[in-house]
Amino acid sequence: MSARVHLINPSNTSFGVAVITPRWLYVLAAATGHRWGDPHLVDETLERTNFDAIAAGDVVGIGIHTGNALRGYEIGREARARGAWVVFGGIHATLFPDEPHSHGGAHAVVKGDGDRVWELVVADCMAGAPARIYEGGKVGGDQFLPARWDLLPPDSYMWASVQTVRGCPKHCSFCSVWRTDGQQPRQRGVDAVISEIVELRRRGFRFIALADDNFYPVTFDDLAQARRRSDQTRMHELEALRAERFELMERLALLPEDLVFYTQITMEAAEDEEFLRAMRRAHIRGALVGVEAVTEAGLKDIYKGFNLAGDALVARLRTFRKHGVHVLGSFIFGLPSDRIDTFAATVDLADRADLTFAQFVLLTPFPGTIDFEKWAAGEGGQHPPVDGVPLTQHWLIPESRRPKLYVTHPTMSLEEIRVRTQGAWDDFYSWRRIWSRSSVVTSIRARLAFVLVSKLYRQMYANTGIATDSARVQRSARWARITGKACRRLFLGKPMPDLQVPAVTTTAMV
Ligand code: SF4
């Protein structure tokens, strides 16, 4: 049999069904080309890798972020032991291109975007001569590849994912996106986005995540600053980016009414009511908003001064809801300014702000971020190792032994922060609160679906991420497997195989 290409998305926990398609798998499948046949795709959030399917001479591409790097390295070593060519890519491999070589059995590492360079990498491996490092760079928005959705396994995902922009102009201290994807937004052509969405709706997907770093890359503040410059070039660039966003949304508005989009956006979008109205027309019904902290001191801790705090924050978040955009608010616990009452105050604010969903994450110094650099240099750079692994490479510590928190806190113990964070999840996702929030939908069936999805979200992300008790983690994973199957059906629509890309009329473009 001739050699083939395998693309693997590593995960420590498999649920049998997943919420969102890992887009990179399907984009790299397209980048592989047709010379080597269809690549074999493995998403370990569904099922573990079957190594017997990997033969000597095959090419195994593994995409890693910091959270799944260790599992990725296990897979790489095993694949290499079976005689395959092993290549790593993804954010973590871009930040530490030597690490997959020392820990993951890599023959090659791709830094940056794989869209353009991957075909060459595969050809070099098949010829038996891969380079140690490939520079994928940051490809332009007009070069993003459409994903190979024809390779999707049946009955596996609730939401599909399409990317419309890469890069984010902000510089939040806990985030590496602006460094790895760049601060200059790279927007994808509207036609390419629409035709991919039409293909997904044809296949029966009604819910589609716009998997963007920041769907609102040009704020009023950015425009005002550019307007003050004597050279208006930047101003014209920003206006063009903004006009393209509106063009995309007007085209999304022409798609079937039952489509629901979800994206990630900064809170500043709430001051732009024209943008919010366009989002509503475009069927963008939900957005992840990084609220992070509810106090000014907390926002200062993370360089997110552009967010609001207190009652002004509640009012701003409610603006999304007023325009039909449901918010998944993301909060960070463990900031230096957090106190014991911060946890309850945060849940209370999430409630008052009419958030439909919320997530409470522990402050973690991820590599590539300002927080990581500050933390790694702190305490004279002397962090005690765990099982012989330096704490500054915490992602290499086996998951069961890995600390949940790293940054010492001025007033609380790390265990206290972890337990109180778990408490915030319990409180926000209590039966009483979920049932009360479920009034956002009207029919009993929809309310039950809302309750089920809320509980599923909590099990998948809170219990498996924050809990230290492995029995609890296993129970949560089992529960999520069962509920996930039931939930999936609620998200799908009847396939529309004859759906066409809507014709663009002049009125749709104004
Ligand atoms: S957290 Fe969001 S807004 Fe901040 S830099 Fe990252 S992607 Fe941009």
Side-chain angles (χ1 to χ4, degrees), residues 12 70 386-387 397-404 467-468 470:
N12 283 309
L70 193 62
V386 175
D387 292 354
I397 301 167
E399 194 155 348
S400 59
R401 302 271 302 134
R402 206 177 293 166
K404 298 287 176 190
T468 46
S470 67

Side-chain angles (χ1 to χ4, degrees), residues 8-12 24 42 44-45 62-65 68 71-72 75:
I8 302 178
N9 185 42
S11 174
N12 283 309
W24 79 265
V42 181
E44 289 204 314
T45 64
I62 304 165
I64 51 170
H65 51 77
N68 67 1
R71 171 66 189 151
I75 297 169

Side-chain angles (χ1 to χ4, degrees), residues 1-6 35-38 55-59 85 122 125-126:
M1 219 172 86
S2 56
R4 65 188 305 210
V5 177
H6 307 261
R35 202 166 143 202
W36 320 104
D38 286 342
D58 286 357
V59 177
W85 296 104
V122 174
C125 288
M126 293 292 187

Side-chain angles (χ1 to χ4, degrees), residues 148-164:
R148 284 277 310 272
W149 296 121
D150 58 308
L151 299 179
L152 272 174
D155 308 330
S156 301
Y157 296 100
M158 302 180 205
W159 291 61
S161 51
V162 172
Q163 192 168 40
T164 77

